[in-house]
Amino acid sequence: MTTPSLVILSSAIELATGIALIAAPGFFGRALLGTELSSAGIAVARVAGLGLLSLGLACWPGQNQVNPQAARGLLIYNVLAAFYLGYLRVGAGFVSYLLWPACVLHALLTILLIAQHRRDARQ
């Protein structure tokens, strides 16, 4: 997979997640965390959705060219998201059917972005 493809994939996932958080934060909270969100939680989830939407749009490659800072930003986000989602399951005791898959997805994207960065650096 090429760097532009990985950045597009990661950006698309964040765009979709942002839209889902904006449109249906309560459903997303139940699916991801297995719990209801309070009204404050819904407001914060929508702000997070706006942030993810912005991240996805800002990192989308223009004319099939990837900005290195965008790829780095997505890498850092995926590392942090994978660790935090794993912590929510293992350390904080949240249980839902999407928590582990979301954690694994972010970990996989992290591994792919690192591997592609290493391939690009060798060339």
Side-chain angles (χ1 to χ4, degrees), residues 78 81-82 85-86 98-111:
N78 279 295
L85 292 170
L98 283 184
L99 195 50
W100 275 129
C103 179
V104 169
L105 175 65
H106 284 289
L108 179 61
L109 285 169
T110 297
I111 291 165

Side-chain angles (χ1 to χ4, degrees), residues 24-103:
F27 172 76
F28 199 83
R30 283 188 303 278
L32 184 63
L33 302 174
T35 187
E36 296 293 325
L37 298 179
S38 66
S39 59
I42 287 173
V44 170
R46 284 197 168 117
V47 170
L50 294 170
L52 289 175
L53 182 67
S54 299
L55 176 67
L57 290 171
C59 292
W60 197 272
Q63 299 173 351
N64 214 22
Q65 297 206 357
V66 175
N67 179 330
Q69 290 83 6
R72 188 178 311 117
L74 286 168
L75 171 63
I76 292 166
Y77 170 74
N78 279 295
V79 167
L80 295 174
F83 276 114
Y84 188 63
L85 292 170
Y87 162 76
L88 288 177
R89 178 59 186 99
V90 174
F94 284 90
V95 178
S96 76
Y97 61 92
L98 283 184
L99 195 50
W100 275 129
C103 179

